[in-house]
Amino acid sequence: MSSSITLSAATRQNLLSLQDTANLLSTTQSRLSTGKKVNSALDNPTNFFTAQSLTARSSDLSSLLDGISNGVQAIQAANQGITSIQKLIDTAKSTAQQALADKSGGTGAVLGGTAAQVATVAGGASYASLNGSTNGTQDFSSLTNDDASIDISLDGGVSKTTIRLDATTLKSVTSDLTKVTADQIISAINGQIQASSLSGKVVASQTADGKIALAGTATGSSSQIKVNGSANATLDIGFGVSTTPPTAVTVTAGAALAANTDFSKGQLSSLTVFDGNKTVNIDLSATTAVDNTGKTLGTNPAGATPEDILAAVNKKLSDAGSTITASFVDATNNKTLKFTSQDVGPDTQLSVIASAQTAGGATGLGFSTFTPVASTAGPAATGIGTRVDATTGTKSSIAGTANLAATYDLSGGQSTVLSVGDGTNTRTITINAANLGKTTATTADITTYIQGQLDGGTAVAVDVSGTAGNKLTFQSKANNVNITVTDSADTLGLLGTRATTTGAATVATPNVDLTGGKAVSFSVGDGTNTKSFTIDATSLDKNGVALGTTATQAKLIEAINVKLKDTTGGAQSIAATASIAGNAITFSSDNAKSTSGPAPSVTASVTNDTVGIGFGTKSNNNGTRAGGAGAPAAGLTGYGRDASDGSSFAKITSTVTTPASFAANAFSNGSFSLTLGSGQTKTITLDSSTLTTTGTVTQQNIADAINTQINADTGLSGKVKASYVNNNLTIQTTAFGSDQKLTLKSAGTTDIGLGLASNGTTFTAQGTDVGGGKGASSTRSTLADQFNKILQQITQQAQDTGYNGVNLLFRTSSNAADNTLHITFNEKGTSALDISGVRFDATGLGLNAVSNGFQSDADINTAVASLNAATSTLRTQSSTFGSNLSVVQNRQEFTKNLTNILDTGAANLTNADLNEEAANSQALSTRNSLAISALSLANQSQQGILQLLR
C-alpha cells in the first residue's frame, strides 16, 4: 500500500525560498571566510585566469628584483673602489713631487735647481749714454737722419721682424720728437710687437742700468733672440746702426710727361702711394687742384703742363700727410716723375701703384705702357683671272677670282667698270646704282645688266654667267675666238677680292665703354696715303652725332669710317673701310685689284688704346724702384736656458777674449775640432768659405758660422751651441748631467780665444749630476720605494672591490667579458643592461713601478704624467658607472611599482567586498528567519483545517 504527502502551494513555495536563501548564505559565508569573490574558474572564468596571469608575472618580476639589487650593490662597490684608488693616486703623486723637489746628490750637498729661463738680450750701452744725449733723451725729429729701427729674430736671423723707430711711428707715443725717452721707445717697440707676428713672443723693457732689453717668452735652451740695428738705422739705441750709410728710396716713372696733357675729355690718371704708414690715393682729372689759388689741371686750354701735374701730385701727398715727395728726374731735360722717401735704408717702404691711366697717351703719366699687337693681314687683293685661250673647236673664257655674293650694295658711289671685247668689238660697261636703277642689286640683276650691255647696239659676242657662290665668267659665243676682259675699277669686288687686316682681339659687346676719357688712336693706310686719328666719346657717327660714353659696336665702326673718309682741312680720304664681324674689327681696301693701276692694300695699327679694340694692350706699371742702400748691424744674441735640477751642463769658455771684430785681412782661419762625448769629432771651419761676410769679421759672424755648422750635423744639432759672453767664446751643451762632455782643440791660424793649432791646447769640460756629484740621492730612492708600494696598494684595492662574485674593477685578462655585469630587467630576458668592467690595477691604469730610484727628473715627470692620465681615466669611468647606477636604480624602482600594480590588478579581479558580503549575510539571515516563520504559519493553517474536519 502506497502513501503520499501532498504539500500545499504555500508550503512548497516557502521550502523553495528557504533552499535558495540557504545557498546564497553559503556562498556569502564562503566569500567572507576566503576574502575572495572568485575562488575558482567556476565563479568567474575570465577574472580567475586573468588574475592568475597577473599574479604569475608579478611573481616573476619579484624574483628579478634580487638580481637588480645585487647589480646596484656591485656598481656602488666599484664606485667606492674608484674613490679609494684615486686617494692612493693622489698619495703617489705627492710622493713623486717630493722626489722632484729633492736636490740632494751623492755628496749630500743641496744646490737647488733653477727654473727654465727665457732668452734675453740687452743693448750694449744705456739709452741715455748714446748719440750724445745730455738729458737722457734722443732727437727723432728728422725722418731722414733720425732712425733707430731694429730687427728682431727668434730663429738666429733666418727670419726677422723690423720694428720701425722714427718720426713716423714715434708720433703715436710722444708729441715732442726732439726729446724721446727710453720709456717712449719701449712703448713704441711693444706696440709694434703686438701688431706683428711677434705678438705674445717678445717683450721690451729697460734694465736697471738703463739699457733697452728684449726678452722672448719661450723658455729653455732652444729659445733664442737676436736684435740688431736695421739696415735703415742711423741712431744707436744699443744694438748698432747700419754699417753703410742708408740712402733714400725712389720710384721713377717709365716715361717723361708730355709738354701738355689733355684732361678736357674726362681723362684720368690714378696712383696709389704708400710710405709704410699712410696710403694716399692720387686721382688726377680736369678738376684736380694744382695749388690753393683755384687753378686746376683743366684750367689751361692747351692741357696741363708737367709743372702743373707735379704740383697737383705734391699737393695731394702733402694734404694727406704722406712723407713721400715727388720731383722731376731733371727739371730741365727730363721731366719724368720721381717719388722719393724721406725715410732711408733698404727696409724703407715706398710703393706707387697705377690704376686708371686714360690721360697722357700711351705712357699715361709715365706709369702705363701700350704694347701694339700686329693685326692679321688677309690675302693680297686679287683681280680678274687669266684667259683660257680658244683652241680648234673650243671657246675662250675669262673668270673673276672672287666668289659672287648674293647681293651688292651700290650706294655711296660703289661701282665696277670693265671692258669686254670679242676680237672685233669692245664694250665698256659700268655697274653702279644709276645704271641699274637701285642701290642694292642681286647677282642676277648684275649679270642680266652686263649681258644686256653686251648684246645691245654693236653687239659683243660674249656671254656672261655667274651665281652666288660662283665666279663671274665671260665666254666667247663662237669657237676659235679669244675674248678680252679688263677692269679699271672694282669697288664692288665682282672680279676680285679686297685686301684686309684684322685686329687680334675682340671688341666689348654689345657696348663699348668710352667713360673717363677712354680713347683709341689709329693709323690707317691704303698704300698711297696714311691717316692718324683718335676715337673717343666726342667722335661723330655718320649722322654727325657724338658717340657718348657708351657706344654700340655699329656706332664705333661708323665713327671710324667717318674719320677715314673725312677730307676736312685738306685731309686725304683713305681708300679703306672698317667693319666688324665676330667682335673683331677688320679694315678692307675699297678696291679689288684692277688690270690697270697699283694693287690696292690696307694697313692698320693702334698707337694707344684705353678702350680695348684688339690692336694692342694697355698695361699699368708701377715705376722703377731704386736706392735704399744700407746694411744691418751685427747685433746681439741671447739664449734661454733649461730648468736645472742642480746639475750642470758641459761648458767651455775661451781663456782669451776675442776682439770685437777682425779686419778683413787679419782673419785667416779660426777653425777648431769639436767632440761631444764619445761621438765623432767635427771640424768647425772658420774661413772665407763659411763666414757670411767679406769685410770685417765680428764676434756675431763667428758665432753664427759655428752654430750653422753645428746645426747641420745630426750628431750635434740641438745638443751644442756657441755664443759670445763678455767677449769670450762660449761653447756649451744644452743638456745637463755628468754624461755631457765636450772636447775642443784649435785647428786654425787665427786665435778666436782657443789658441792656435801650433799650441796644441785641448779644452775639455764635463757636466755634473744632481748636487754636483755622480751618486744617487738616498731621499729620492726612499720616495721611489714608497711610490712602488703605493702602486701595489692600488692593485690590491682593485682586486678587493668585488661584490657577490662580481668585480667591475679587476680582471686578469684583457677581455672585458671576464668582468661584465649582466642585469636582467624583465621576465622574458629581452630587456637587460651589460655593464662592462675595467682593469684598474696599476698595470691597467698605465702606472709602472720606477726602477732607477727617481734619480732623473725626467723619470719623475713621466711618472707624474702617468698619474695625471690615470686620474683622468678614473674620473671618466666613475662618470660611466654613475650613469649605469642611475639606470639600474630607475629600473629597480620601476619593477617594484609594476609588481604592486600587477598584484593590485589581480586582487581587483578576485577579491570580495567584505562590507558588501557582510551586509548580504545579514540580509540572508533575516530572510531565512522570515521564510521559516512563513512556513510555520502555513503549517498552522493546515492544522486548523484538519481540526475542523475531525
Side-chain angles (χ1 to χ4, degrees):
M1 173 178 175
S2 61
S3 64
S4 62
I5 299 174
T6 301
L7 299 175
S8 66
T11 300
R12 187 180 298 277
Q13 184 61 40
N14 284 330
L15 287 173
L16 291 174
S17 177
L18 281 172
Q19 187 177 11
D20 290 341
T21 300
N23 289 336
L24 290 174
L25 187 58
S26 175
T27 299
T28 299
Q29 290 174 346
S30 176
R31 291 176 177 176
L32 287 171
S33 63
T34 62
K36 295 181 178 294
K37 65 180 178 182
V38 178
N39 288 293
S40 69
L42 295 177
D43 295 332
N44 188 328
T46 300
N47 286 8
F48 179 80
F49 289 114
T50 299
Q52 194 175 49
S53 174
L54 294 175
T55 301
R57 187 183 180 203
S58 174
S59 177
D60 291 342
L61 291 176
S62 295
S63 65
L64 293 176
L65 281 173
D66 292 338
I68 295 174
S69 178
N70 285 337
V72 170
Q73 297 305 313
I75 297 171
Q76 289 178 336
N79 268 331
Q80 184 58 48
I82 288 176
T83 300
S84 298
I85 291 172
Q86 180 58 57
K87 291 179 180 179
L88 291 172
I89 286 178
D90 291 340
T91 301
K93 185 185 295 186
S94 176
T95 301
Q97 289 171 340
Q98 289 180 52
L100 188 62
D102 176 66
K103 301 301 177 183
S104 62
T107 62
V110 179
L111 297 184
T114 59
Q117 298 176 8
V118 300
T120 303
V121 62
S126 68
Y127 177 81
S129 68
L130 295 166
N131 305 311
S133 173
T134 58
N135 57 3
T137 66
Q138 295 192 37
D139 185 355
F140 282 86
S141 59
S142 172
L143 184 60
T144 302
N145 301 319
D146 303 329
D147 190 321
S149 299
I150 56 174
D151 296 331
I152 302 175
S153 175
L154 299 180
D155 53 15
V158 176
S159 61
K160 68 174 183 177
T161 298
T162 298
I163 303 300
R164 184 175 176 182
L165 300 172
D166 57 22
T168 299
T169 58
L170 293 177
K171 287 190 296 186
S172 63
V173 296
T174 180
S175 59
D176 187 357
L177 293 173
T178 64
K179 297 178 181 179
V180 180
T181 66
D183 287 340
Q184 290 166 342
I185 289 289
I186 291 169
S187 177
I189 293 174
N190 284 327
Q192 292 183 58
I193 286 175
Q194 291 302 314
S196 72
S197 60
L198 295 178
S199 179
K201 301 176 183 178
V202 178
V203 177
S205 61
Q206 189 173 16
T207 64
D209 56 358
K211 298 177 181 178
I212 292 177
L214 290 104
T217 56
T219 60
S221 60
S222 62
S223 64
Q224 61 176 298
I225 183 170
K226 177 181 179 182
V227 183
N228 60 267
S230 77
N232 290 22
T234 56
L235 288 182
D236 188 7
I237 59 171
F239 302 100
V241 297
S242 174
T243 56
T244 60
T247 60
V249 172
T250 62
V251 172
T252 305
L257 296 173
N260 295 99
T261 300
D262 184 16
F263 287 94
S264 64
K265 297 177 181 179
Q267 293 95 326
L268 297 172
S269 181
S270 295
L271 303 173
T272 300
V273 181
F274 178 62
D275 66 359
N277 185 57
K278 185 177 290 295
T279 299
V280 182
N281 295 317
I282 301 175
D283 295 322
L284 303 178
S285 66
T287 60
T288 301
V290 172
D291 52 33
N292 294 324
T293 65
K295 183 179 180 181
T296 67
L297 293 177
T299 299
N300 188 350
T305 65
E307 289 73 16
D308 291 338
I309 294 174
L310 178 62
V313 169
N314 277 322
K315 187 176 188 306
K316 288 274 190 180
L317 291 170
S318 176
D319 291 348
S322 175
T323 61
I324 306 302
T325 57
S327 62
F328 291 136
V329 172
D330 186 322
T332 303
N333 301 315
N334 187 355
K335 295 184 180 181
T336 300
L337 286 176
K338 179 174 71 174
F339 292 83
T340 304
S341 66
Q342 291 184 41
D343 199 4
V344 293
D347 293 328
T348 297
Q349 298 187 55
L350 168 57
S351 64
V352 179
I353 300 174
S355 49
Q357 293 291 310
T358 60
T363 59
L365 300 186
F367 290 93
S368 66
T369 304
F370 179 74
T371 304
V373 177
S375 57
T376 303
T382 62
I384 194 167
T386 304
R387 180 180 64 194
V388 177
D389 291 340
T391 59
T392 304
T394 64
K395 301 175 181 180
S396 68
S397 63
I398 299 175
T401 58
N403 291 329
L404 293 170
T407 60
Y408 287 87
D409 181 10
L410 306 183
S411 63
Q414 301 278 11
S415 67
T416 297
V417 180
L418 53 85
S419 296
V420 182
D422 59 4
T424 302
N425 299 313
T426 298
R427 178 65 53 81
T428 298
I429 304 170
T430 299
I431 300 98
N432 57 24
N435 291 334
L436 270 70
K438 57 181 68 176
T439 56
T440 301
T442 66
T443 299
D445 292 336
I446 293 172
T447 56
T448 299
Y449 174 75
I450 295 173
Q451 192 65 62
Q453 291 294 305
L454 292 173
D455 293 340
T458 303
V460 178
V462 175
D463 290 327
V464 64
S465 63
T467 57
N470 296 304
K471 295 176 176 59
L472 186 66
T473 303
F474 297 87
Q475 187 178 50
S476 62
K477 290 186 177 184
N479 291 336
N480 307 320
V481 175
N482 284 328
I483 64 174
T484 61
V485 179
T486 61
D487 64 324
S488 58
D490 185 14
T491 61
L492 293 176
L494 293 175
L495 300 174
T497 58
R498 300 178 178 87
T500 63
T501 186
T502 304
T506 59
V507 179
T509 181
N511 296 319
V512 179
D513 181 14
L514 298 175
T515 60
K518 292 179 181 177
V520 56
S521 298
F522 289 95
S523 179
V524 182
D526 60 6
T528 302
N529 299 306
T530 299
K531 177 179 285 187
S532 298
F533 57 91
T534 298
I535 301 296
D536 57 25
T538 65
S539 299
L540 305 179
D541 62 15
K542 65 181 181 180
N543 297 317
V545 178
L547 295 179
T549 56
T550 302
T552 64
Q553 289 183 349
K555 288 297 182 182
L556 177 68
I557 296 302
E558 285 184 18
I560 294 173
N561 285 325
V562 167
K563 290 286 188 180
L564 289 173
K565 304 305 180 184
D566 184 18
T567 59
T568 302
Q572 293 291 329
S573 175
I574 301 300
T577 303
S579 61
I580 189 166
N583 297 325
I585 294 178
T586 297
F587 290 88
S588 304
S589 63
D590 285 348
N591 290 300
K593 183 179 180 182
S594 63
T595 51
S596 62
S601 64
V602 64
T603 60
S605 62
V606 171
T607 57
N608 183 37
D609 181 13
T610 54
V611 177
I613 53 86
F615 287 82
T617 56
K618 185 72 172 286
S619 59
N620 295 327
N621 66 72
N622 300 326
T624 302
R625 181 185 173 99
L636 301 171
T637 301
Y639 295 93
R641 180 173 174 177
D642 292 325
S644 168
D645 56 4
S647 59
S648 66
F649 42 59
K651 180 172 70 173
I652 294 175
T653 301
S654 65
T655 57
V656 179
T657 59
T658 305
S661 63
F662 293 86
N665 57 1
F667 193 98
S668 175
N669 187 337
S671 303
F672 61 90
S673 63
L674 168 63
T675 307
L676 175 62
S678 58
Q680 294 289 327
T681 298
K682 168 74 174 178
T683 297
I684 304 298
T685 302
L686 297 174
D687 57 20
S688 59
S689 66
T690 58
L691 294 168
T692 58
T693 178
T694 58
T696 301
V697 178
T698 65
Q699 293 177 357
Q700 189 63 48
N701 295 146
I702 295 172
D704 289 345
I706 295 173
N707 285 323
T708 297
Q709 294 176 68
I710 287 174
N711 293 333
D713 187 288
T714 55
L716 299 176
S717 180
K719 301 175 183 177
V720 180
K721 64 184 179 183
S723 62
Y724 270 92
V725 180
N726 296 325
N727 296 318
N728 288 96
L729 176 63
T730 300
I731 298 182
Q732 66 184 49
T733 61
T734 58
F736 296 82
S738 61
D739 59 339
Q740 299 297 306
K741 299 178 182 179
L742 280 178
T743 304
L744 301 182
K745 185 175 182 181
S746 175
T749 58
T750 302
D751 189 359
I752 59 172
L754 302 176
L756 303 177
S758 58
N759 296 336
T761 303
T762 300
F763 297 84
T764 61
Q766 182 176 4
T768 58
D769 293 321
V770 177
K774 299 181 181 179
S777 166
S778 58
T779 301
R780 288 192 173 197
S781 297
T782 300
L783 292 171
D785 290 340
Q786 293 179 13
F787 181 87
N788 290 337
K789 290 177 180 179
I790 293 172
L791 297 191
Q792 294 174 3
Q793 288 300 314
I794 290 174
T795 297
Q796 293 175 9
Q797 179 70 63
Q799 292 172 343
D800 293 342
T801 312
Y803 178 83
N804 198 23
V806 178
N807 190 338
L808 293 174
L809 297 186
F810 181 76
R811 59 174 180 266
T812 57
S813 71
S814 60
N815 187 358
D818 288 352
N819 64 337
T820 295
L821 174 62
H822 182 81
I823 302 176
T824 302
F825 292 140
N826 67 8
E827 70 278 13
K828 297 179 180 179
T830 57
S831 177
L833 176 65
D834 286 328
I835 301 174
S836 298
V838 293
R839 182 175 180 178
F840 275 179
D841 58 354
T843 301
L845 289 171
L847 303 175
N848 300 317
V850 295
S851 58
N852 67 343
F854 272 161
Q855 297 304 310
S856 167
D857 284 359
D859 290 339
I860 299 175
N861 289 328
T862 299
V864 171
S866 65
L867 291 170
N868 290 334
T871 295
S872 177
T873 301
L874 288 171
R875 289 173 179 171
T876 300
Q877 190 59 45
S878 178
S879 175
T880 301
F881 281 155
S883 176
N884 291 333
L885 179 61
S886 177
V887 171
V888 175
Q889 287 177 330
N890 180 61
R891 288 305 297 254
Q892 183 183 40
E893 184 66 21
F894 169 77
T895 301
K896 288 179 180 179
N897 293 334
L898 182 60
T899 300
N900 291 335
I901 291 171
L902 292 172
D903 290 341
T904 300
N908 289 341
L909 292 172
T910 59
N911 286 356
D913 186 342
L914 296 181
N915 291 330
E916 178 184 354
E917 296 304 330
N920 287 339
S921 177
Q922 185 66 33
L924 289 172
S925 295
T926 302
R927 179 179 173 183
N928 189 55
S929 298
L930 293 174
I932 292 173
S933 297
L935 181 61
S936 175
L937 291 175
N939 288 334
Q940 289 177 4
S941 175
Q942 290 180 349
Q943 288 294 328
I945 294 173
L946 288 176
Q947 289 294 332
L948 290 174
L949 292 175
R950 290 180 183 169

